[in-house]
């Protein structure tokens, strides 16, 4: 009853091709967007923005990127942190070399740099697959992080820690510590909305279908005329573009200051994002968002519960958090290996039948 | 020109003019390689028997070493040192076997028939849990592991070799020999190979998968214990121990996922390559090349031989 598409006829090609074909979906997405755009900026404060909303949004974007590669094209990558670092450092270089350039342009350019590097490290995917490829992408992770730490050109011969200079977009300050949380949040949200929309259209179009063909059976896809070279490399390029932009946003908006060996460390970036998309759901746009929300919210919630409510000392709480995170991941994998996106699918089925389940 | 000179000429000149130093570096690399091999061996064992890519191997080494040092602190009631060591080793072995049973029951059994990536992620989750449990039970400060192993240096014709390294090498060699016999001569070993070959066929001739998995994880736990002990007595028991799991991955790639000799030889190659690159090409990059050298080596290698040195040839059909 709640979620029934009966009676919703599609009478034109346009309505058949719409992103959200069901009225309820349109309402839901519209409502969420309205709350996100019109309500949250008025109620936001520094704590909410820095420790919940900004990380959630930026990791949603990055998860989306990785999901394109892992979930849609089936190429496992553990080099996410490296590509994020490329985004962040190229963003820094462009920002400091061309101070006049609009920050939006800078971030897109940083994404393009990351896409180039991604294609380079995607080349081995033509020869190797599966876990072999995963290890090969680890090379990207360690090499890139090392490079940004050791080659002084990337951090302008100063300290290896880079700090975002203050920049205005449409007359509003968005980077540096003085920027208002609402402005930062809206800037980030704009990126996420636009690029989610692009990704949704990409994955259902020709490109996305060829990715999925390669994922499902690469040899069969090749026989059908899908070119593995172009397909895999576009997946690497698009994925790294998203991840690189995410890295640039982490650097400019969320953190403001980045130390490459800490922020883009393998556990905190590569595995974190991989967990997010597996828990959220591989090959699902919604899954990227749910997974990112789960992974960014869970530590915060656990910390609040353990330290403030139960009263455990922070060091012990850290260890308990490790155990809980690990067990939650295992429990999740056992109960729903297809992630939260599938859970949402099941919930929709239930709502369609409710209140007469038989 | 300077750059090319430093890249292509000077390191080789250094090697030729200081042969002793070069040999010493190679030996050091070999010894580091032995430790990589030990961790990689644990990976290969589990991968062969259950198709699970066990990321938690490094954390298992850390966990085993932590348990050992923790027990040694707790049980130090005035008995002779060698007795304490043996008692604690035995107890740690028991802990690792219990761990294997628990892992099989609560992680592997519910995940039978899932995709490989799911199993891989589950072992990643497992490594988080183990790390948390280890730290919670025994504290997270750096511990010194003292088993009474000799710590001096031998001078063999001008080349200095650490005794501990030699013991590690001997232990690794002995371990491989025992494992080889175990795999080829015993009843359980043959069952293990049957499971590795084909799960369903093995089931149909009456081999219990669950039992085999417990055995394999126990053996991997023992290998982890040896690796943890060796690494721990070298540089203290601490968090970084679990990161050698990441180092073992290129070793696996180089040697092939399914080959035990591959794990050993891959480890040695990576160990030597890393040390030589670090020591002789130091001028151009400012150090810390150890972090990524192994991966790059594996990457380049994969371009030419995707299945590794000794891995099974990958044949794909639609």
């Amino acid at each position: 009853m709640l979620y029934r598409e009966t009676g919703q006829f599609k009478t034109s090609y346009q309505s058949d091709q719409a992103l959200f074909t069901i009225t309820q979906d349109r309402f839901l997405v519209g409502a969420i967007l309205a709350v996100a755009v019109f309500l949250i900026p008025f109620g936001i404060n520094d704590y909410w923005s820095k420790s919940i909303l900004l990380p959630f949004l930026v990791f949603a974007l990055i998860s989306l990127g990785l999901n394109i590669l892992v979930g849609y094209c089936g190429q496992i990558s553990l080099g996410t942190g490296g590509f994020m670092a490329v985004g962040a450092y190229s963003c820094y270089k462009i920002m400091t070399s061309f101070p006049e350039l609009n920050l939006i342009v800078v971030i897109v350019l940083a994404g393009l740099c990351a896409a180039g590097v991604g294609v380079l490290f995607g080349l081995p995917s033509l020869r190797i697959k599966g876990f072999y490829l995963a290890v090969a992408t680890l090379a990207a992770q360690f090499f890139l992080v090392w490079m940004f730490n050791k080659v002084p050109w990337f951090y302008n011969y100063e300290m290896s820690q880079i700090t975002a200079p203050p920049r205005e977009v449409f007359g509003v300050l968005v980077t540096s510590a003085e920027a208002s949380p609402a402005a930062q949040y809206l800037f980030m949200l704009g990126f996420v909305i636009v690029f989610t929309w692009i990704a949704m259209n990409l994955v259902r179009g020709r490109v996305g279908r060829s990715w999925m063909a390669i994922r499902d059976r690469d040899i069969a896809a090749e026989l059908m005329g899908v070119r593995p070279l172009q397909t895999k490399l576009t997946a690497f390029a698009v994925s790294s573009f998203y991840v690189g932009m995410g890295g640039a946003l982490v650097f400019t908006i969320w953190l403001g200051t980045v130390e490459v060996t800490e922020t883009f460390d393998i556990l905190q970036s590569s595995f974190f994002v991989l967990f997010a998309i597996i828990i959220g759901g591989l090959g699902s746009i919604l899954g990227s968002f749910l997974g990112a929300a789960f992974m960014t919210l869970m530590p915060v919630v656990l910390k609040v519960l353990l330290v403030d409510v139960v009263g455990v000392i922070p060091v012990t709480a850290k260890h308990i958090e490790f155990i809980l995170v690990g067990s939650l991941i295992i429990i999740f994998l056992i109960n729903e290996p297809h992630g939260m996106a599938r859970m949402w699918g099941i919930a929709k089925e239930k709502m369609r039948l409710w209140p007469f389940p038989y | 020109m300077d750059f090319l000179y430093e890249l292509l000429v000077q390191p080789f000149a250094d090697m030729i003019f200081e042969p002793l130093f070069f040999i010493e570096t190679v030996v050091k690399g070999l010894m580091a390689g032995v430790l990589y091999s030990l961790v990689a061996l644990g990976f290969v064992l589990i991968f062969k028997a259950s198709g699970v890519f066990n990321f938690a191997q490094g954390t298992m080494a850390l966990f085993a070493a932590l348990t050992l040092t923790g027990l040694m602190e707790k049980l130090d009631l005035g008995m002779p040192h060698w007795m304490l060591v043996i008692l604690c080793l035995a107890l740690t072995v028991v802990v690792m076997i219990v761990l294997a049973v628990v892992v099989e029951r609560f992680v592997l059994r519910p995940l039978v028939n899932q995709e490989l990536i799911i199993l891989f992620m589950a072992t990643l989750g497992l490594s988080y849990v183990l790390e948390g449990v280890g730290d919670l039970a025994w504290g997270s400060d750096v511990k010194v592991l003292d088993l009474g192993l000799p710590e001096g240096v031998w001078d063999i014709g001008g080349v200095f070799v650490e005794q501990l390294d030699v013991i590690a090498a001997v232990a690794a060699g002995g371990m491989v020999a025992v494992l080889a016999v175990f795999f080829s001569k015993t009843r359980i070993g043959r069952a293990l190979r049957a499971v590795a070959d084909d799960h369903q066929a093995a089931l149909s001739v009456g081999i219990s998968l669950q039992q085999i998995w417990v055995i394999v994880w126990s053996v991997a736990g023992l290998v982890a214990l040896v690796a943890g002990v060796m690494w721990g007595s070298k540089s203290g028991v601490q968090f970084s121990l679990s990161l050698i799991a990441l180092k073992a991955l290129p070793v696996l790639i180089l040697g092939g996922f399914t080959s035990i000799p591959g794990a050993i030889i891959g480890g040695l190659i990576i160990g030597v390559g890393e040390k030589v690159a670090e020591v002789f090409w130091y001028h151009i990059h400012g150090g810390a090349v150890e972090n990524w050298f192994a991966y790059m080596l594996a990457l380049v290698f994969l371009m030419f031989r995707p299945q590794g040195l000794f891995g099974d040839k990958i044949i794909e059909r639609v």
Side-chain angles (χ1 to χ4, degrees):
Chain A
M1 286 291 272
L2 289 174
Y3 192 84
R4 197 160 54 181
E5 59 266 54
T6 325
Q8 300 180 21
F9 300 113
K10 294 158 191 157
T11 48
S12 64
Y13 285 116
Q14 211 176 4
S15 66
D16 196 36
Q17 297 267 307
L19 262 185
F20 301 103
T21 45
I22 300 170
T23 320
Q24 287 91 329
D25 278 347
R26 275 200 293 275
F27 266 113
L28 200 61
V29 172
I32 291 172
L33 277 184
V35 169
V37 178
F38 297 112
L39 278 185
I40 293 180
F42 295 103
I44 200 169
N45 62 25
D46 219 36
Y47 174 76
W48 273 85
S49 122
K50 287 281 181 207
S51 58
I52 293 172
L53 288 167
L54 290 185
F56 160 62
L57 285 175
V58 76
F59 276 115
L61 192 67
I62 295 168
S63 308
L64 199 59
L66 190 66
N67 219 337
I68 286 174
L69 188 62
V70 182
Y72 284 99
C73 195
Q75 314 292 312
I76 305 171
S77 165
L78 297 176
T80 319
F83 299 132
M84 279 164 75
V86 174
Y89 275 75
S90 51
C91 179
Y92 178 67
K93 274 313 264 192
I94 299 170
M95 268 170 109
T96 47
S97 312
F98 307 99
E100 299 303 310
L101 216 55
N102 191 320
L103 189 61
I104 298 175
V105 181
V106 173
I107 285 174
V108 172
L109 283 178
L112 289 178
C113 291
V117 178
V119 168
L120 203 64
F121 279 97
L123 282 174
S125 71
L126 304 170
R127 285 277 285 167
I128 51 182
K129 43 191 95 166
F131 285 121
Y132 287 86
L133 181 64
V135 178
T137 54
L138 271 181
Q141 166 78 38
F142 286 100
F143 177 73
L144 291 170
V145 166
W146 173 85
M147 187 175 80
F148 291 122
N149 197 24
K150 290 284 177 190
V151 182
W153 183 79
F154 288 109
Y155 46 87
N156 288 352
Y157 306 95
E158 289 159 17
M159 282 184 301
S160 69
Q161 189 184 44
I162 53 170
T163 305
R167 287 284 179 277
E168 291 181 352
V169 174
F170 306 127
V172 183
L173 191 69
V174 288
T175 61
S176 84
E178 286 87 47
S180 81
Q184 290 191 319
Y185 165 77
L186 280 176
F187 184 77
M188 190 85 101
L189 185 70
F191 263 94
V192 173
I193 291 175
V194 170
F195 283 97
T196 308
W197 177 72
I198 292 177
M200 284 173 104
N201 282 304
L202 261 185
V203 295
R204 63 184 190 149
R206 184 190 163 81
V207 189
R209 282 160 196 247
S210 56
W211 287 340
M212 287 186 252
I214 287 283
R215 171 194 67 188
D216 291 338
R217 214 20 132 190
D218 51 352
I219 299 174
E222 201 178 337
L223 291 175
M224 280 165 43
V226 177
R227 296 184 179 186
L229 175 76
Q230 276 93 331
T231 313
K232 285 181 179 172
L233 290 188
T234 46
F236 264 98
V238 173
S239 160
S240 314
F241 175 69
Y242 275 75
V243 172
M245 274 194 321
L249 287 169
V250 165
F251 161 59
T252 50
I253 309 292
W254 178 31
L255 294 176
T257 307
V258 155
E259 168 72 55
V260 67
T261 43
E262 279 168 25
T263 318
F264 302 120
D265 159 68
I266 179 154
L267 287 177
Q268 273 169 31
S269 50
S270 303
F271 284 133
F272 185 89
V273 181
L274 197 59
F275 274 145
I277 62 169
I278 297 228
I279 286 177
L282 287 173
S284 154
I285 302 271
L286 175 71
S288 314
F289 279 82
L290 294 177
F294 183 82
M295 287 303 286
T296 42
L297 282 184
M298 188 180 53
V300 178
V301 171
L302 280 181
K303 198 169 163 230
V304 169
L305 276 183
L306 286 172
V307 177
D308 301 343
V309 179
V310 186
V312 189
I313 47 168
V315 182
T316 322
K318 194 80 201 150
H319 298 157
I320 297 177
E321 188 192 311
F322 258 81
I323 300 177
L324 284 176
V325 170
S327 1
L328 272 175
I329 286 164
I330 294 176
I331 291 168
F332 234 99
L333 290 173
I334 289 172
N335 290 328
E336 192 48 88
H338 297 283
M340 291 163 110
R342 172 66 65 83
M343 284 160 103
W344 170 237
I346 295 170
K348 277 201 295 197
E349 272 312 304
K350 292 242 164 79
M351 280 196 289
R352 178 174 293 146
L353 296 174
W354 187 85
F356 306 110
Y358 300 105
Chain B
M1 276 317 282
D2 267 2
F3 179 75
L4 282 181
Y5 173 76
E6 283 186 350
L7 182 70
L8 296 174
V9 182
Q10 204 186 355
F12 295 105
D14 285 348
M15 283 179 206
I16 293 166
F17 292 124
E18 290 177 66
L20 276 184
F21 182 57
F22 177 63
I23 294 172
E24 200 171 300
T25 312
V26 170
V27 171
K28 268 210 188 97
L30 280 176
M31 296 308 170
V34 167
L35 293 173
Y36 294 148
S37 309
L38 272 176
V39 180
L41 196 62
F43 275 103
V44 170
L45 283 175
I46 291 185
F47 190 80
K48 262 176 93 95
S50 51
V52 178
F53 188 81
N54 177 26
F55 188 80
Q57 188 66 34
T59 325
M60 273 161 71
L62 171 69
F63 183 74
L66 270 179
T67 313
L68 184 62
T69 45
L71 282 173
M72 281 175 66
E73 273 171 26
K74 291 268 151 58
L75 296 175
D76 195 4
L77 302 171
M79 61 178 108
H81 193 68
W82 61 269
M83 236 165 88
L84 178 71
V85 168
I86 290 176
L87 179 70
C88 292
L89 275 176
L91 282 176
T92 314
V93 169
V94 173
V95 170
M96 294 315 281
I97 291 174
V98 170
L99 177 71
V101 175
V102 170
V103 166
E104 195 278 326
R105 179 67 196 83
F106 292 103
V107 182
L108 289 181
R109 208 183 292 174
L111 284 174
V112 172
N113 254 341
Q114 289 293 348
E115 281 172 53
L116 284 181
I117 173 92
I118 304 282
L119 285 162
F120 168 65
M121 294 311 286
T123 60
L124 243 173
L126 182 69
S127 77
Y128 271 74
V129 175
L130 277 183
E131 211 176 296
V133 172
D135 283 352
L136 202 61
W138 311 114
S140 55
D141 39 339
V142 180
K143 291 193 180 54
V144 183
L145 182 58
D146 176 26
L147 293 183
L149 296 175
E151 274 178 17
V153 176
W154 277 322
D155 183 351
I156 306 172
V159 179
F160 293 105
V161 181
E162 278 190 45
Q163 294 180 4
L164 194 62
D165 287 340
V166 177
I167 291 174
V170 172
M175 194 118 177
V176 173
V178 171
L179 282 176
V181 173
F182 176 67
F183 266 99
S184 55
K185 301 288 179 208
T186 61
R187 194 184 156 81
I188 298 173
R190 263 177 278 150
L192 280 176
R193 280 190 295 156
V195 171
D197 215 32
D198 191 325
H199 284 188
Q200 276 185 335
L203 275 175
S204 70
V205 293
I207 295 168
S208 158
L209 264 189
Q210 285 154 8
Q211 213 180 341
I212 292 296
W213 281 351
V214 170
I215 293 171
V216 168
W217 278 74
S218 310
V219 174
L222 294 188
V223 175
L225 174 61
V226 174
V229 165
M230 290 307 163
W231 208 275
S233 24
K234 214 177 152 83
S235 49
V237 179
Q238 53 184 320
F239 172 72
S240 68
L241 198 59
S242 64
L243 293 180
I244 52 173
L246 290 172
K247 269 290 169 54
L249 296 180
V251 172
L252 285 176
I253 292 277
L254 210 61
F257 270 116
T258 48
S259 159
I260 290 180
I264 307 288
I265 293 171
L268 295 182
I269 293 176
I270 297 260
V272 171
E274 222 174 61
K275 274 280 182 303
V276 170
E278 177 75 44
V279 172
F280 286 94
W281 273 270
Y282 184 82
H283 321 280
I284 28 175
H285 49 66
V289 68
E290 277 180 311
N291 285 342
W292 55 268
F293 180 80
Y295 299 97
M296 278 303 185
L297 192 66
L299 188 65
V300 173
F301 191 79
L302 278 176
M303 292 291 219
F304 298 101
R305 211 179 147 77
Q307 73 271 32
L309 273 176
F310 301 98
D312 303 331
K313 184 123 185 73
I314 304 163
I315 300 167
E316 279 187 272
R317 298 187 181 85
V318 178

